[in-house]
Amino acid sequence: MSQDAIIEIKDLEVVFGSGSAAVRAVNGVSLCVERGQTVALIGESGSGKSVTLRSLLRLHAPKRTSIKGSIRVAGHDVLSLSSSALSDFRGEVCSMIFQEPLLALDPVYSVGDQIIESIQRHKGCSRAEANKKALALFERVKIPSPERRLAAYPHEMSGGMRQRAMIALALACDPQVLLADEPTTALDATVQIQILLLLRELQKTLGLSIVFVTHDIGAAVEVADRIAVMYAGQIVEEGDVRTIMRAPRHPYTKALLQSRAHGSLDRGQRLATIPGAPPDLAKLPPGCAFAPRCAYAQDACREGTIALVSLGESHGARCRRTDVTHLPHTESVEA
Amino acid sequence: MNASLTIPTTNVAAIEQSPGYWSGVFKRFLRDRVAMCAAAVVLLLVLLALFGAFVTPVDPYQSSMLKRLKPIGTEGFPLGTDELGRDMMSRLMVGARLSLFMGITPVLFAFLIGSVIGIIAGYTGGWLNTAIMRTVDVFYAFPSVLLAIALSGALGAGIGNALISLTLVFIPPICRVAESVTAQVRSRDYVEAARASGANAFAIIRTHVLGNVLGPIFVYATSLIAVSMILASGLSFLGLGVKPPEPEWGLMLNTLRTAIYTQPWIAALPGLMIFITSISFNMLSDGLRSAMDVKQ
Amino acid sequence: MSAATPLLDVRGLTKHFPLKASPGNKSGVVRAVDDVNFSVMRGETLGIVGESGCGKSTTARLLMHLINPTAGEVIFEGKVVGSRDLPMKEFHRQVQMVFQDSYSSLNPRLTVEASIAFGPQVHGVSEKDAVKRARDLLSRVGLEPARFAGRYPHELSGGQRQRVNIARALALEPRVVILDEAVSALDKSVEAQVLNLLLDLKQAFNLTYLFISHDLNVVRYISDRVMVMYLGQVVEMASTDAIFASAKHPYADALLSSMPSMDPDQRTEAPPISGDPPNPINPPSGCRFHTRCTFAESVCSSRAPQLTSIDDTHRVACLMYEANVAHPRSRVNVLKVAA
């Protein structure tokens, strides 16, 4: 399976700061993304999902960050790229869209100029050609009356149009990998679904590989082939989207899915909650980081490192209790 | 009314008290080496201002035509003598008192007056804000040096009038800062929540606005102390502030300017003191600013 | 007072924000809220949903009288708010609000208990009693007073801060609490804890909630009735079950169908509607939704629909449901037959 992997992350560790205040944002993440696959990284704030994503483009300030492990994207060893190779890599091989396009787009240039400039810089083609390409991109991301919109400034566009324009900018240099950091979180519901469907379509027609970071399980279900659930800087469970949604085996994944308010729930019925709060990344507990909140936890869970347990083809959970976690908690106690 | 609270009341003595905001500011300030150096210099200057007059090696008013403009390092006059043969070191030490006084007092008064006006303008908004802020802008439009000279000139020479004119000069900038900080705080949800609880403007300003705006205004004001010292020196230089023979650095700079070709180092000494003082106050205020910046 | 009297009655509530004239923009107002009418019954939870710019948050701020309405009035227990019968200060004791941003809604310089105790003190409770009430409320919202009363907001997590905000709102012993996106900024697992807390508190204190949110799943879970807003107007209002089973207004229907699917085998195939919500500065003429509506006809751009009752509890503002309107796809007769 790894022969066709376009992204291979191995034992990634990202630490911000140093000494006793060091924040261990990512603690040994390994992830494989196949060509043409969409993987959703889901988790709550502070789970390390965005940090992992940003590491793929080496976006962290090198001075305050220490990164260990290896990241290979389409044959490039990202962590050892020179700075000029890195700027070619960004955009041409791998590009990124953000939650808030208004912050990611330059306010003093028209959206068209930004896309044209990017195409010219990476491809070295004439302005007329770049212009034609930009127009085609705007059509591809389904921006109505694209000629007129190319001349618009970011603040003149609505939220959904801006997000489309940012996707066009990200696709300007034909990357193979698209990284998406909560791209629909700031959008309205009717717009969010349009963008999710657009990403799905682009993935199919362009053969893109997408890593999609979100805290919204619904958004992940709409676009992803595989889901990786993160907690306290680790991937705690990974599998294809059906397995994760229907037969999660990590207690955190199970609790996360159960704690959502959803349609089949009666009004007034209490939601299942996860007690406590996520751990402080500067003082992680030994053993499983979820153990203090876990209904299935035993003493063994609180020591050593927890290995990923394979639970079938491309399904794994970082848990010592996977033998009972498919049962509801009450039955697992008896077992 | 309908709610009955049945939870047993907690033992008052058992409440964990968090270290407050200011103790955090203090801790961060202690860690800032540059700011600590500046604070040490300022402390030294304040001590000099308070006690300098009692420890001068020589009487700072004692002139001598024979000992005029002795160079630095002369026996008995470690920093030389001025154009009337008075001991420079003693005069610089005693001069700290008036110079600091002229630097700090106007800023203090302007801080009190400007904050009140600015907070009122910032909190009320609307036409009152417009009226106050446009008036302030008229004063703000003049360069501060010109305004200080014009006001002092109109009021007449003397320390008291110089203080009044400098106070007037600093009210507009402080008022503007107070207004903008207050307007920012006013738009925060906690002020909205306080309004939603039915509190009147006075209660909201007292509990929710003051604590959040006075710090930033104060930091800004400390950065004006340096400007105030320089302006006060300038007024003295022009004969509008302190009168001779009182030692004050600005005035000393003025009277020594004739000696600039014969004893340039001595002529520069008062300027050096002004420079050190103003830069210390500026660094102190920068340090305060970053110490008060809570990043969450 | 009869049981049928609504606790809160909102009539003709309108807010137009004046705009400074600028080149290329002559028209002078943002129609943030335009002639909104609804009532809230004692003990119910009314959910208000809609997208950004639909006026749901402005409605909340108008209700709290944090901004002055251009027109309209709010009636609380049959008394006009702000009149001699019900002075503003008394109204504020009865109706409280929880804001979305848990950090910005707490004074960073005050301890948690001082923040909670502020409101009661404004209403004449002594400091000692106010602090006691604050500590009792802290334990009610699940924060041990001994550990949390003396803390400052930046020392708390987002969920803990929102619990403090809820305690602050309850400190005046209000009857109605407006929750403006109160759980939207929280992580899912924390959101569930806070939602449970809100349900407990509602029962314990006989509260009435106005629950404003863009998260339809949460609204569905917590609300008895739902009101859907679009560009400053109410487009549909019905019991939660009715609206989620069959929303009548094309916008409400599209909004509900835009919820991401939770089933990997039943993904959304096509977006229910295209485009973004238009700008409320110059809303479309007639029915404001006609620019995005799949059922729009020429009549829709000229005639503004009225909120029409289609049964006892279900009201919708769409020309297809209005009698004597020449809409080719009028549903009026279909409803009659069904009845």
Side-chain angles (χ1 to χ4, degrees):
Chain A
M1 137 186 163
S2 66
Q3 281 131 16
D4 211 23
I6 191 156
I7 300 177
E8 255 188 300
I9 304 176
K10 274 212 185 104
D11 305 320
L12 181 70
E13 283 182 27
V14 182
V15 180
F16 297 119
S18 56
S20 62
V23 173
R24 304 170 57 83
V26 175
N27 303 301
V29 161
S30 298
L31 180 73
C32 244
V33 180
E34 286 171 48
R35 204 172 286 275
Q37 200 177 49
T38 303
V39 172
L41 283 180
I42 64 173
E44 301 179 271
S45 46
S47 62
K49 55 191 195 303
S50 277
V51 177
T52 304
L53 193 74
R54 277 153 201 259
S55 303
L56 285 168
L57 278 180
R58 241 168 78 192
L59 290 177
H60 302 291
K63 268 188 191 162
R64 291 180 296 111
T65 322
S66 98
I67 301 186
K68 280 189 213 138
S70 81
I71 299 177
R72 290 187 75 81
V73 178
H76 302 265
D77 182 356
V78 177
L79 296 183
S80 59
L81 286 177
S82 68
S83 62
S84 69
L86 186 63
S87 55
D88 285 344
F89 170 79
R90 294 176 182 163
E92 280 174 37
V93 178
C94 186
S95 63
M96 187 154 175
I97 56 176
F98 298 88
Q99 175 174 351
E100 189 37 87
L102 206 50
L103 300 178
L105 293 168
D106 191 328
V108 297
Y109 293 100
S110 73
V111 192
D113 280 346
Q114 293 178 52
I115 295 176
I116 290 165
E117 194 256 20
S118 170
I119 297 172
Q120 280 185 299
R121 195 183 63 215
H122 284 279
K123 303 258 156 165
C125 57
S126 73
R127 190 174 165 90
E129 268 175 77
N131 194 35
K132 221 169 100 188
K133 176 114 202 272
L135 199 64
L137 278 168
F138 260 40
E139 279 163 3
R140 170 142 267 162
V141 298
K142 297 185 183 150
I143 293 181
S145 48
E147 296 92 343
R148 198 161 51 81
R149 296 294 171 95
L150 272 178
Y153 289 87
H155 72 269
E156 296 173 323
M157 299 178 122
S158 61
M161 284 307 140
R162 268 202 295 270
Q163 197 55 274
R164 286 171 197 270
M166 186 159 67
I167 295 173
L169 179 62
L171 297 178
C173 303
D174 306 314
Q176 302 166 50
V177 177
L178 183 67
L179 309 178
D181 191 359
E182 304 259 9
T184 60
T185 304
L187 299 174
D188 284 320
T190 60
V191 181
Q192 155 168 310
I193 193 75
Q194 295 173 40
I195 299 292
L196 290 174
L197 293 184
L198 175 69
L199 285 173
R200 212 158 79 191
E201 186 189 313
L202 290 171
Q203 189 275 324
K204 225 178 269 169
T205 52
L206 301 175
L208 285 171
S209 310
I210 299 180
V211 183
F212 186 96
V213 159
T214 183
H215 68 275
D216 180 351
I217 301 166
V221 171
E222 287 285 0
V223 297
D225 302 312
R226 297 168 59 72
I227 289 181
V229 182
M230 289 194 70
Y231 185 80
Q234 289 190 321
I235 293 179
V236 294
E237 183 161 14
E238 192 197 342
D240 78 66
V241 59
R242 286 180 186 79
T243 316
I244 295 287
M245 292 306 291
R246 290 181 190 149
R249 292 286 284 278
H250 195 284
Y252 176 66
T253 316
K254 290 182 67 156
L256 199 62
L257 289 172
Q258 279 162 5
S259 69
R260 292 180 77 262
H262 50 81
S264 56
L265 212 62
D266 284 336
R267 244 188 323 287
Q269 182 186 338
R270 294 177 63 87
L271 290 166
T273 60
I274 309 175
D280 184 347
L281 292 174
K283 311 181 196 95
L284 284 173
C288 173
F290 186 64
R293 306 173 72 188
C294 182
Y296 297 88
Q298 292 179 329
D299 289 345
C301 297
R302 297 186 179 89
E303 55 201 38
T305 42
I306 313 290
L308 193 75
V309 178
S310 176
L311 298 162
E313 200 193 345
S314 77
H315 181 202
R318 210 174 273 277
C319 179
R320 290 207 174 129
R321 303 274 290 147
T322 45
D323 50 331
V324 291
T325 52
H326 57 287
L327 306 167
H329 174 239
T330 42
E331 290 171 37
S332 79
V333 176
E334 288 150 24
Chain B
M1 52 166 28
N2 46 16
S4 55
L5 295 158
T6 48
I7 300 293
T9 323
T10 5
N11 181 6
V12 178
I15 300 289
E16 264 176 47
Q17 206 65 40
S18 275
Y21 167 77
W22 290 108
S23 85
V25 170
F26 188 62
K27 259 188 222 146
R28 280 190 292 274
F29 190 78
L30 287 183
R31 277 202 295 266
D32 184 345
R33 256 180 251 153
V34 176
M36 284 311 288
C37 289
V41 174
V42 166
L43 186 71
L44 206 70
L45 287 165
V46 169
L47 289 176
L48 208 56
L50 292 176
F51 306 110
F54 306 111
V55 294
T56 50
V58 184
D59 179 4
Y61 298 98
Q62 177 67 51
S63 60
S64 159
M65 295 314 268
L66 294 171
K67 294 174 186 159
R68 284 165 55 187
L69 290 173
K70 292 282 180 208
I72 293 173
T74 306
E75 176 84 43
F77 304 106
L79 292 178
T81 57
D82 69 359
E83 79 288 353
L84 293 175
R86 296 172 293 201
D87 178 35
M88 277 303 282
M89 186 160 148
S90 304
R91 285 184 70 75
L92 286 173
M93 284 165 73
V94 176
R97 177 179 293 183
L98 265 179
S99 297
L100 279 191
F101 180 73
M102 297 294 284
I104 293 172
T105 320
V107 172
L108 194 67
F109 281 119
F111 170 68
L112 295 175
I113 301 167
S115 300
V116 171
I117 302 175
I119 290 170
I120 291 173
Y123 188 79
T124 51
W127 64 267
L128 187 61
N129 176 291
T130 312
I132 293 176
M133 293 321 287
R134 290 301 84 78
T135 315
V136 164
D137 283 348
V138 170
F139 283 90
Y140 205 63
F142 294 101
S144 52
V145 183
L146 278 186
L147 190 63
I149 293 171
L151 287 169
S152 279
L155 293 167
I159 293 180
N161 287 341
L163 287 180
I164 293 173
S165 71
L166 287 176
T167 304
L168 288 174
V169 165
F170 291 124
I171 288 175
I174 289 180
C175 185
R176 278 176 67 126
V177 169
E179 191 260 355
S180 78
V181 180
T182 310
Q184 253 175 44
V185 167
R186 189 191 192 277
S187 67
R188 305 301 292 273
D189 286 343
Y190 58 84
V191 174
E192 296 270 273
R195 289 176 59 213
S197 73
N200 59 23
F202 179 71
I204 295 175
I205 289 181
R206 201 188 54 198
T207 313
H208 293 289
V209 176
L210 283 186
N212 287 291
V213 301
L214 284 184
I217 305 173
F218 179 75
V219 167
Y220 176 72
T222 53
S223 76
L224 289 176
I225 290 175
V227 182
S228 176
M229 277 195 54
I230 292 166
L231 285 182
S233 303
L235 289 180
S236 301
F237 182 90
L238 293 171
L240 288 167
V242 179
K243 291 268 174 48
E246 290 304 321
E248 193 267 349
W249 297 336
L251 187 66
M252 287 164 73
L253 197 63
N254 180 14
T255 53
L256 277 165
R257 74 183 192 278
T258 48
I260 193 121
Y261 297 110
T262 48
Q263 289 292 357
W265 289 111
I266 291 188
L269 280 176
L272 189 68
M273 291 304 287
I274 295 173
F275 176 74
I276 290 172
T277 315
S278 65
I279 215 164
S280 305
F281 271 110
N282 272 338
M283 288 191 316
L284 188 69
S285 114
D286 279 354
L288 273 178
R289 192 196 314 275
S290 49
M292 283 170 58
D293 193 13
V294 189
K295 292 183 204 77
Q296 289 305 327
Chain C
M1 198 145 305
S2 77
T5 317
L7 186 59
L8 197 62
D9 200 4
V10 177
R11 292 187 190 159
L13 201 61
T14 302
K15 181 67 186 179
H16 292 173
F17 290 106
L19 268 185
K20 285 201 180 119
S22 62
N25 173 16
K26 289 172 290 171
S27 163
V29 288
V30 181
R31 294 165 181 274
V33 172
D34 224 357
D35 193 20
V36 163
N37 296 282
F38 64 89
S39 51
V40 186
M41 304 308 285
R42 200 165 311 223
E44 77 169 338
T45 299
L46 174 67
I48 304 182
V49 298
E51 300 176 276
S52 53
C54 77
K56 54 189 195 298
S57 279
T58 309
T59 304
R61 289 160 54 83
L62 283 169
L63 278 176
M64 285 312 292
H65 291 79
L66 292 173
I67 47 176
N68 293 321
T70 310
E73 56 188 11
V74 179
I75 294 159
F76 185 79
E77 287 195 311
K79 297 172 195 153
V80 177
V81 174
S83 71
R84 204 169 300 163
D85 295 338
L86 186 61
M88 204 61 82
K89 195 168 173 180
E90 178 54 25
F91 174 71
H92 278 140
R93 215 185 59 69
Q94 306 270 7
V95 182
Q96 279 291 300
M97 178 159 167
V98 178
F99 297 82
Q100 170 172 13
D101 184 343
S102 66
Y103 191 63
S104 144
S105 47
L106 287 174
N107 187 340
R109 300 281 185 277
L110 293 188
T111 58
V112 159
E113 74 177 0
S115 272
I116 301 172
F118 176 77
Q121 283 172 271
V122 164
H123 287 266
V125 176
S126 73
E127 191 183 341
K128 195 167 146 256
D129 291 348
V131 167
K132 180 173 172 291
R133 191 185 287 182
R135 287 178 188 167
D136 290 345
L137 278 166
L138 275 174
S139 55
R140 283 312 282 250
V141 298
L143 298 174
E144 204 184 309
R147 281 181 59 211
F148 290 98
R151 292 211 196 172
Y152 287 84
H154 69 265
E155 299 169 304
L156 306 181
S157 71
Q160 290 168 340
R161 280 198 294 264
Q162 205 57 302
R163 286 169 191 265
V164 173
N165 280 315
I166 292 167
R168 193 242 320 262
L170 295 179
L172 291 173
E173 299 176 356
R175 316 263 303 272
V176 180
V177 179
I178 300 174
L179 300 146
D180 185 6
E181 302 274 8
V183 297
S184 305
L186 304 176
D187 277 322
K188 283 291 165 213
S189 67
V190 181
E191 180 185 275
Q193 295 172 2
V194 175
L195 285 174
N196 280 342
L197 172 69
L198 286 172
L199 287 179
D200 294 346
L201 292 171
K202 181 170 190 256
Q203 225 166 25
F205 296 95
N206 295 319
L207 296 170
T208 302
Y209 284 155
L210 240 76
F211 192 90
I212 298 171
S213 178
H214 68 277
D215 186 334
L216 298 163
N217 279 316
V218 173
V219 169
R220 179 181 195 171
Y221 167 69
I222 204 162
S223 311
D224 301 309
R225 281 195 306 145
V226 175
M227 176 166 114
V228 183
M229 291 184 74
Y230 185 75
L231 284 183
Q233 295 180 325
V234 178
V235 296
E236 186 160 358
M237 202 160 154
S239 71
T240 308
D241 295 334
I243 212 160
F244 277 87
S246 74
K248 298 289 186 257
H249 195 285
Y251 172 69
D253 188 40
L255 183 67
L256 300 184
S257 331
S258 296
M259 288 161 68
S261 158
M262 289 303 284
D263 183 349
D265 288 322
Q266 286 182 13
R267 288 178 171 184
T268 313
E269 284 314 317
I273 40 172
S274 61
D276 286 27
N279 198 321
I281 296 174
N282 280 311
S285 62
C287 172
R288 291 186 178 178
F289 185 59
H290 82 257
T291 50
R292 299 169 80 195
C293 182
T294 39
F295 302 99
E297 299 286 342
S298 59
V299 64
C300 297
S301 58
S302 56
R303 184 166 167 166
Q306 302 297 313
L307 207 54
T308 315
S309 291
I310 55 172
D311 64 42
D312 289 349
T313 57
H314 203 144
R315 296 200 292 165
V316 57
C318 174
L319 293 177
M320 290 194 291
Y321 293 91
E322 220 169 292
N324 308 321
V325 174
H327 193 291
R329 293 192 239 193
S330 180
R331 310 279 298 165
V332 177
N333 293 326
V334 181
L335 286 176
K336 261 186 204 149
V337 170

